[in-house]
Amino acid sequence: MPADTSTAPAPDPADAQDAPDLRIQVAPGASMPTRAHPGDAGLDLASAEDLEIPPGGRALVDTGLAVALPSGTVGMVCPRSGLAAKHGITVLNGPGIVDAGYRGPVKVALHNTDPVEPFALRCGDRIAQLVVVPFLAPALRQV
């Protein structure tokens, strides 16, 4: 009998019933993070302010969010490939790290790599992605 080569669709991790909650506080006028497609790893983060990043410049952009990540996870703030490819905008310290115990504002350090053109951001523009992943915290032992 030949092997079964049929493939079932992969389960959608976004629909996992046992997934822990990601609690998010959204400031007035800010946007709740969204996934572009069900099951995407990255949650799109949007700017909560209007500003312009000069050529070669950088800006710390407020998302208007505060998060409570589940214990045993870390949030990685990653660049959006479209912004990088089309406009030369990237996350300066990418990925930025949001620890599970951090409860302050989530801000994104953006860098405009274009040497000539400024980049205008408007409130609601998608600027980065937040990817929440589990991590190991090994005990430190000096040797």
Side-chain angles (χ1 to χ4, degrees), residues 26-27 29-33 44-48 63-65 123-125:
V26 183
S31 302
M32 182 76 168
D44 287 333
L45 300 176
S47 175
T63 65
L65 304 175
C123 189
D125 287 351

Side-chain angles (χ1 to χ4, degrees), residues 68-88:
L69 295 167
S71 179
T73 67
V74 63
M76 297 188 307
V77 179
C78 302
R80 295 191 70 244
S81 59
L83 278 181
K86 294 175 189 170
H87 304 287

Side-chain angles (χ1 to χ4, degrees), residues 49-138:
E49 58 186 324
D50 296 340
L51 58 88
E52 185 174 281
I53 306 172
R58 59 184 179 258
L60 190 59
V61 183
D62 191 5
T63 65
L65 304 175
V67 297
L69 295 167
S71 179
T73 67
V74 63
M76 297 188 307
V77 179
C78 302
R80 295 191 70 244
S81 59
L83 278 181
K86 294 175 189 170
H87 304 287
I89 301 298
T90 191
V91 174
L92 189 59
N93 61 327
I97 297 296
V98 180
D99 288 310
Y102 178 70
R103 296 295 183 267
V106 175
K107 297 187 178 188
V108 180
L110 291 181
H111 175 61
N112 181 0
T113 64
D114 193 299
V116 178
E117 294 294 322
F119 184 74
L121 273 176
R122 299 292 170 247
C123 189
D125 287 351
R126 295 177 297 164
I127 58 170
Q129 296 181 73
L130 177 67
V131 179
V132 180
V133 295
F135 78 97
L136 297 176

